[in-house]
Amino acid sequence: MKWKPVVILAAGLLLGGCSYDKQFVYKPNAAIAVRPEIPLSVAVFPFEDGTPEWKQKNFMIPIGITVFHMRQNYAKMPYMYTDKEPFISPERWARDFARDLAASGAFGSVQYAEGGKDPGGELIIKGKVLEALMGTRWVGVEIIPFYLSAYYRYSATFQMIRRSDGKVLWERTIRRTHKNLSSTPTDVTPMLWRSMFGEAVADLVKTLQERRSDWSDLKVSAPPSSAPANESVEDILKKLGSQ
């Protein structure tokens, strides 16, 4: 069938024509507080993966000429096929969101639960990645592909939980889309994350300021080093979910 070489050639042109840098350094948004507005410690746990089960889907629409729609789920698949790890795993979402939360200056301290180890703290951030999608559209005439468009759809749900009783103090789902023919995921992802994370942090701080009674009586917890060593992040989340 004629469409098979078109897909192969199109994918080769897409991956070969992009400037490729699989690693990108996320630069957090600027501080929004001169001093901590919420002088408590925050633990950011790895996010859940709520994206569809598929990693990549290809569609062919025969309409005289052939149109291809390729969709890639970067929460589950690498940027390049030679890579082994997902391009932006849920863990990477959470780790960089923790950096944004810390850079805001609004909290006493913010630590990511690296390696599943609970860093302690009175407040917990958890989340779920809903979309980490890049789509491209091609049109094929005989065996010659023409690159038409590219788009990105990212979305995630963020929650802040009071550790003492598991009460959800704040929750927000944020979505972003971007359409650009020449942008690469390493360009688009930091841009969309800064927009999403900036909105999430600003809304979180605003909500906590308006609802001070939800947290003002909390006592600063013991240092992270004194947290039970045998209690994993998964155990803590299960415990909070049962409260």
Side-chain angles (χ1 to χ4, degrees), residues 58-85:
N58 302 326
F59 302 91
M60 182 184 70
I61 308 172
I63 51 173
I65 57 177
T66 304
V67 177
F68 304 94
H69 184 187
M70 303 172 66
R71 297 194 301 172
Q72 295 165 288
N73 179 1
Y74 280 137
K76 285 184 167 68
M77 68 177 295
Y79 178 20
M80 298 287 281
Y81 292 102
T82 54
D83 299 334
K84 296 181 180 180
E85 300 296 325

Side-chain angles (χ1 to χ4, degrees), residues 21 23 25 42-43 48-49 63 100 111 114 123 135-137 139 150 163 166 169 185 191 219 221 225 229 232 241:
D21 179 9
Q23 300 295 332
V25 177
V42 181
E48 298 177 50
D49 185 355
I63 51 173
D100 224 301
Q111 295 188 67
E114 194 69 55
L123 303 172
T136 54
R137 292 185 176 90
V139 60
R163 183 189 289 267
L169 303 183
M191 177 186 68
K219 296 181 179 180
S221 63
S225 59
S232 68

Side-chain angles (χ1 to χ4, degrees), residues 22 24 74 77-79 85-89 92 154 185-186 189:
K22 66 180 179 181
F24 67 91
Y74 280 137
M77 68 177 295
Y79 178 20
E85 300 296 325
F87 175 56
I88 45 173
S89 66
R92 177 74 193 267
Y154 287 5
T186 53
T189 299

Side-chain angles (χ1 to χ4, degrees), residues 158-173:
F158 306 82
Q159 279 187 340
M160 174 163 276
I161 300 170
R162 191 167 60 193
R163 183 189 289 267
S164 60
D165 59 2
K167 179 179 178 180
V168 177
L169 303 183
W170 168 83
E171 183 172 6
R172 183 78 181 269
T173 298

Side-chain angles (χ1 to χ4, degrees), residues 12-24:
L13 290 175
L14 172 63
L15 298 178
C18 293
S19 59
Y20 171 53
D21 179 9
K22 66 180 179 181
Q23 300 295 332
F24 67 91

Side-chain angles (χ1 to χ4, degrees), residues 2-155:
K2 292 183 179 180
W3 61 269
K4 287 186 177 180
V6 177
V7 170
I8 296 171
L9 181 56
L13 290 175
L14 172 63
L15 298 178
C18 293
S19 59
Y20 171 53
D21 179 9
K22 66 180 179 181
Q23 300 295 332
F24 67 91
V25 177
Y26 177 71
K27 297 180 180 179
N29 290 284
I32 61 174
V34 177
R35 62 181 183 278
E37 301 285 346
I38 301 95
L40 298 172
S41 298
V42 181
V44 181
F45 288 176
F47 287 2
E48 298 177 50
D49 185 355
T51 63
E53 285 304 313
W54 53 267
K55 295 181 178 180
Q56 176 172 313
K57 284 189 175 181
N58 302 326
F59 302 91
M60 182 184 70
I61 308 172
I63 51 173
I65 57 177
T66 304
V67 177
F68 304 94
H69 184 187
M70 303 172 66
R71 297 194 301 172
Q72 295 165 288
N73 179 1
Y74 280 137
K76 285 184 167 68
M77 68 177 295
Y79 178 20
M80 298 287 281
Y81 292 102
T82 54
D83 299 334
K84 296 181 180 180
E85 300 296 325
F87 175 56
I88 45 173
S89 66
E91 292 81 5
R92 177 74 193 267
W93 281 70
R95 187 181 296 110
D96 282 345
F97 181 66
R99 296 181 61 198
D100 224 301
L101 204 61
S104 72
F107 296 89
S109 69
V110 178
Q111 295 188 67
Y112 175 66
E114 194 69 55
K117 183 179 180 181
D118 179 19
E122 302 77 41
L123 303 172
I124 289 174
I125 287 285
K126 58 183 291 190
K128 179 182 288 188
V129 180
L130 305 176
E131 283 186 301
L133 171 68
M134 177 189 177
T136 54
R137 292 185 176 90
W138 302 76
V139 60
V141 180
E142 294 298 330
I143 62 170
I144 302 175
F146 296 92
Y147 185 28
L148 296 180
S149 63
Y151 63 92
Y152 299 80
R153 287 206 309 262
Y154 287 5
S155 62

